[in-house]
Amino acid sequence: VEVVVPDEQLSLGIGRRGQNVRLASQLTGWQIDILTEAEESERRQKEFAERTKLFMDALDVDETVAQLLASEGFSDIEDIAYVPVADLAAIEGFDDDLAAELQNRAQEALDRREAAAREERQAMGVEDALAEIPHLTEAMLVTLGKAGIKTLDDLADLATDELVQKKRVDPRRRKTDTTEDKGGVLAAFNLSEEQGNEIIMAARAHWFEDEEA
């Protein structure tokens, strides 16, 4: 969870040697990142500009349309591709035809992204068998390949927390001060622990088949 505080209250929020934020983290069970109002505003502006550019490039739309999508809370192409068309058409200035066209373009953009990731994955030598594992997308397979995980055995050798879970961070560390250690290889994709277990067990399935044979 992220907590935004007035600039002059930052030291109070963190506490001496991080004791305030550390205690709050222990009581709530959440990792807490503290941002000042100025940092939060700067981050929001940066994210808005990034989303606007993403939509302009992927959907081939002008800046106005892209900004409307970003201001409505859409953060990625998947959001547009799979949201009900009526939700897009409800945006001020949009209509059913524009909504349908945007959704078609979003789905085409996803297809291009998936194809590019597949080519990259295959060029790295990641086995096609990994593409049959549930929950794994081509983008995830590229990430696995970059980590040297290219075969079923490579994946099967991992523990769940090595695959999907984030490492705990010292609550005294502020998110804006340092890069967070992401932990698991696929932690950035926000897979659940249950999904991680299913992936690992699917990768290990051939071990049991070999034993039975």
Side-chain angles (χ1 to χ4, degrees):
V1 62
E2 292 179 342
V3 177
V4 180
V5 299
D7 293 30
E8 66 274 11
Q9 295 293 318
L10 178 61
S11 59
L12 178 62
I14 296 175
R16 185 186 298 273
R17 297 182 179 178
Q19 63 182 4
N20 290 353
V21 69
R22 184 170 60 252
L23 177 59
S25 180
Q26 291 172 348
L27 290 173
T28 61
W30 287 79
Q31 175 187 316
I32 299 175
D33 295 317
I34 296 184
L35 302 174
T36 65
E37 291 175 338
E39 290 168 342
E40 170 68 0
S41 176
E42 181 180 354
R43 188 192 67 170
R44 286 185 178 275
Q45 291 176 16
K46 180 180 178 181
E47 290 178 348
F48 183 82
E50 290 174 347
R51 291 198 301 270
T52 297
K53 186 177 186 306
L54 169 66
F55 296 144
M56 290 177 65
D57 294 343
L59 304 178
D60 190 24
V61 296
D62 62 29
E63 186 176 19
T64 300
V65 172
Q67 287 179 341
L68 282 171
L69 291 170
S71 65
E72 287 292 325
F74 294 102
S75 60
D76 203 351
I77 305 302
E78 287 92 341
D79 298 341
I80 299 171
Y82 300 120
V83 72
V85 175
D87 290 355
L88 287 173
I91 298 175
E92 185 175 358
F94 286 17
D95 57 26
D96 291 340
D97 291 339
L98 177 57
E101 178 63 22
L102 288 173
Q103 193 157 78
N104 287 335
R105 293 187 185 187
Q107 291 169 348
E108 290 172 356
L110 288 179
D111 290 341
R112 292 193 300 270
R113 181 188 295 179
E114 189 80 352
R118 184 180 302 108
E119 290 182 6
E120 184 177 1
R121 184 261 298 177
Q122 291 173 338
M124 287 190 296
V126 178
E127 289 183 346
D128 290 339
L130 269 67
E132 303 299 323
I133 300 292
H135 308 303
L136 293 181
T137 65
E138 291 291 347
M140 294 178 190
L141 295 176
V142 169
T143 300
L144 290 174
K146 291 178 178 179
I149 302 167
K150 301 182 179 183
T151 69
L152 284 175
D153 286 337
D154 292 338
L155 182 57
D157 281 334
L158 296 180
T160 301
D161 59 353
E162 294 176 310
L163 183 67
V164 300
Q165 293 180 348
K166 291 185 178 181
K167 293 181 180 178
R168 289 189 173 275
V169 178
D170 186 337
R172 290 174 294 180
R173 287 168 46 183
R174 291 176 53 216
K175 187 174 182 179
T176 52
D177 289 338
T178 184
T179 300
E180 181 182 346
D181 187 347
K182 292 297 184 181
V185 179
L186 298 181
F189 292 93
N190 297 317
L191 292 168
S192 68
E193 184 175 355
E194 181 180 0
Q195 289 172 322
N197 288 334
E198 291 178 9
I199 291 170
I200 296 297
M201 293 308 298
R204 293 175 179 174
H206 71 288
W207 289 353
F208 305 112
E209 293 171 358
D210 292 343
E211 289 177 359
E212 292 177 358

